[in-house]
Amino acid sequence: MNGNIVIIGGGIAGMEAAKALLALGHTPILVEASRTLGGHVASWHKLFPDMSSAKNLTARLQSEISGANIFTDTRVISLNRLVDGYSLKLSNGIVINASALLFATGFNLFDAAKKEEYGYGVYDRVITNSDLEAWFSGKEDRRVPKVPESIGFVHCVGSRDLKACNGQCSKVCCATAIKQAIEMKERFPYAKVYCFYMDLRLFGKKYEDFYVNAQRDYGIQFIRGRVSEVGETFDGRLQLKAEDTLSGKPLKVCLDLLVLMSGIVRNRSIEELSDMAGLETDSDGFLRSADNEYAVIESNRPGIYYAGACTGPKTVPETVAEARSAALAIHSYLESL
Amino acid sequence: MTDFGFTLSRSSTLDLQKVDEGRFEQLCRLEKGAAVCIGCGSCSATCPAGSLSGMSVRKILLAVRRGQDIHRMLQCCMLCGKCTMVCPRGINTRHLILSICSIYD
């Protein structure tokens, strides 16, 4: 085989892997379905916990991989297994024979409209985490009031919810909600900001500090209770119901803006492709790693590797680390052929 | 009023918007730690007065936060400070209790 490497997906996982492979002397081929590189991170405003710019990260990565062969607005439409590699046909007509493949196909955000009780797409003042990031980045959104007096965040929308067909924790939304709550409080210091949570899972480096800052320095209120329903008041505001489980009382509050923390679900658009490659799906719906403790970046197929959220929800540093690790694994694999 | 032989129960729903947060804000100025409580209950679990009187620092702080009356809830506190020893968030609960007393005086 020719030693070609195809990276499927041009988010931060795919780009970081391409960068590492270039440094190892390879010229990877990067295939991205959308028109621009950067994936979900490119549409995010700031990253937790240090509030660094997401765009700077994706722009820097993009400038560092100019030596790779990059196809944007291109899909892999068929994939055949050969004796010693894979043959891929792209939507632009190009056929590539490759020795190794990297799946960096990422995730989808849960469609918040499926949780009808929260009123996304029904009421004017309900948005999602990704809508809010777009607004932070300067995109107009008439759903965000000029000066909101009270703002609510609902954690676990489409995560840890069997009724939404996703029992898994999306891992990053707790810290994202705190980050966004702080950013809103910075913009609207007089607004009351409430976070409605089931559990707060602040596992990462400095996430807990982030939580304490939100409570102590920004006065954000954390209310333990899952929101049961949201309705609209006669004057176009929102009325939210939950239980204040710590006091054991039902609770209601009027809000000017409600932000739903949509969770991370598998990328459904790659199902056909992963089937063609002979990859397995794990019980959580994401691609199955060879081993969930020791070999997360390895698949059940020779020469196919994973990086990032295609195997489950991941933070940015986890994704970057996996991408580097997968690049090294591909390098060793090609050496061994 | 006509007696129909039954009455309506008062709603126990807490309306967050109508909560008077004045006292809680006052408390936060006196004891910054008041804001970082995570409601774990270790203060109440370790309280020597808790099992006999039902006193609970966690519940008292939540009541202040929700603008509710804390009448007589603190009277069994002996200021022993065991709750301060166990608080995982490092809240000076002894000072918190004294601060609550000074606000509700």
Side-chain angles (χ1 to χ4, degrees):
Chain A
M1 204 27 120
N2 50 20
N4 273 342
I5 305 161
V6 175
I7 300 171
I8 305 166
I12 56 164
M15 289 201 290
E16 181 67 32
K19 178 185 155 188
L21 285 165
L22 282 165
L24 288 163
H26 303 277
T27 308
I29 300 159
L30 183 69
V31 183
E32 164 58 38
S34 64
R35 291 209 176 123
T36 52
L37 295 174
H40 290 275
V41 174
S43 63
W44 234 243
H45 182 237
K46 284 179 180 173
L47 303 174
F48 58 78
D50 287 350
M51 296 288 200
S52 54
S53 157
K55 277 188 189 62
N56 284 357
L57 170 66
T58 53
R60 197 181 64 223
L61 273 175
Q62 201 169 337
S63 71
E64 285 167 336
I65 58 165
S66 53
N69 290 314
I70 300 169
F71 297 106
T72 51
D73 203 8
T74 307
R75 287 182 167 275
V76 178
I77 52 173
S78 75
L79 193 158
N80 289 314
R81 285 180 260 169
L82 310 175
V83 179
D84 55 351
Y86 300 89
S87 168
L88 296 86
K89 190 173 181 201
L90 307 185
S91 57
N92 57 12
I94 293 175
V95 176
I96 304 166
N97 284 346
S99 301
L101 301 181
L102 177 66
F103 273 68
T105 47
F107 63 93
N108 286 152
L109 271 183
F110 176 77
D111 175 12
K114 284 185 182 164
K115 293 291 288 179
E116 278 186 7
E117 59 269 42
Y118 299 151
Y120 184 68
V122 179
Y123 306 124
D124 289 338
R125 302 271 179 101
V126 183
I127 63 172
T128 64
N129 41 6
S130 96
D131 296 333
L132 187 60
E133 289 293 331
W135 183 77
F136 284 149
S137 303
K139 191 181 164 204
E140 280 278 314
D141 195 331
R142 55 172 194 83
R143 294 171 295 184
V144 182
K146 287 260 176 307
V147 186
E149 285 172 19
S150 55
I151 304 164
F153 286 84
V154 183
H155 290 231
C156 302
V157 175
S159 307
R160 301 178 72 202
D161 183 353
L162 292 178
K163 296 287 152 46
C165 301
N166 182 25
Q168 306 303 314
C169 170
S170 293
K171 203 171 176 180
V172 295
C173 349
C174 277
T176 302
I178 289 174
K179 178 192 82 91
Q180 294 187 337
I182 288 175
E183 287 181 279
M184 285 309 258
K185 197 75 183 174
E186 281 173 343
R187 281 172 171 76
F188 308 109
Y190 297 104
K192 292 201 184 309
V193 179
Y194 306 100
C195 285
F196 294 89
Y197 68 94
M198 301 197 284
D199 286 306
L200 285 172
R201 298 184 156 186
L202 297 159
F203 57 93
K205 183 177 164 73
K206 283 168 71 180
Y207 294 4
E208 193 69 18
D209 296 353
F210 211 36
Y211 176 25
V212 173
N213 283 353
Q215 288 179 304
R216 190 188 50 210
D217 306 331
Y218 290 92
I220 292 158
Q221 290 202 44
F222 290 85
I223 294 164
R224 184 174 175 275
R226 193 166 170 82
V227 174
S228 67
E229 62 175 78
V230 178
E232 202 169 37
T233 61
F234 68 93
D235 54 354
R237 300 179 79 206
L238 298 165
Q239 168 127 310
L240 172 148
K241 282 185 189 173
E243 191 198 346
D244 179 19
T245 60
L246 292 178
S247 67
K249 288 197 178 79
L251 169 152
K252 64 176 181 180
V253 65
C254 249
L255 300 170
D256 295 316
L257 182 68
L258 186 66
V259 186
L260 307 179
M261 305 310 298
S262 282
I264 287 177
V265 294
R266 65 174 151 171
N267 184 352
R268 283 191 168 274
S269 67
I270 59 132
E271 273 168 24
E272 218 180 318
L273 185 63
S274 58
D275 281 351
M276 286 189 280
L279 299 174
E280 290 170 4
T281 301
D282 212 338
S283 58
D284 60 358
F286 290 89
L287 293 174
R288 188 202 290 276
S289 297
D291 181 325
N292 281 327
E293 286 92 25
Y294 190 68
V296 177
I297 60 151
E298 288 168 34
S299 76
N300 57 311
R301 299 281 316 157
I304 301 188
Y305 294 85
Y306 300 136
C310 60
T311 53
K314 302 269 158 66
T315 62
V316 168
E318 284 166 347
T319 301
V320 170
E322 280 190 4
R324 289 175 192 162
S325 160
L328 206 53
I330 290 173
H331 178 70
S332 313
Y333 173 76
L334 294 180
E335 298 266 285
S336 74
L337 290 180
Chain B
M1 203 154 71
T2 317
D3 181 8
F4 292 103
F6 61 87
T7 55
L8 289 173
S9 314
R10 263 185 61 194
S11 169
S12 62
T13 300
L14 181 82
D15 190 340
L16 266 189
Q17 217 173 2
K18 292 187 182 146
V19 166
D20 175 10
E21 289 177 358
R23 279 176 161 157
F24 182 70
E25 282 165 11
Q26 211 180 333
L27 178 61
C28 286
R29 282 193 291 275
L30 292 173
E31 172 52 57
K32 268 226 155 203
V36 301
C37 174
I38 50 172
C40 71
S42 56
C43 49
S44 309
T46 194
C47 178
S51 57
L52 304 170
S53 68
M55 143 150 187
S56 159
V57 182
R58 176 186 75 77
K59 284 185 186 167
I60 293 162
L61 182 54
L62 189 65
V64 176
R65 187 151 215 174
R66 301 281 184 258
Q68 290 157 351
D69 194 17
I70 57 153
H71 183 60
R72 297 167 81 91
M73 281 170 87
L74 271 173
Q75 69 174 5
C76 292
C77 176
M78 300 173 283
L79 290 175
C80 70
K82 277 180 84 175
C83 46
T84 306
M85 304 280 285
V86 295
C87 178
R89 277 293 174 101
I91 304 170
N92 185 343
T93 46
R94 199 168 177 277
H95 183 246
L96 179 88
I97 291 165
L98 290 168
S99 304
I100 294 173
C101 289
S102 73
I103 292 168
Y104 280 80
D105 186 21

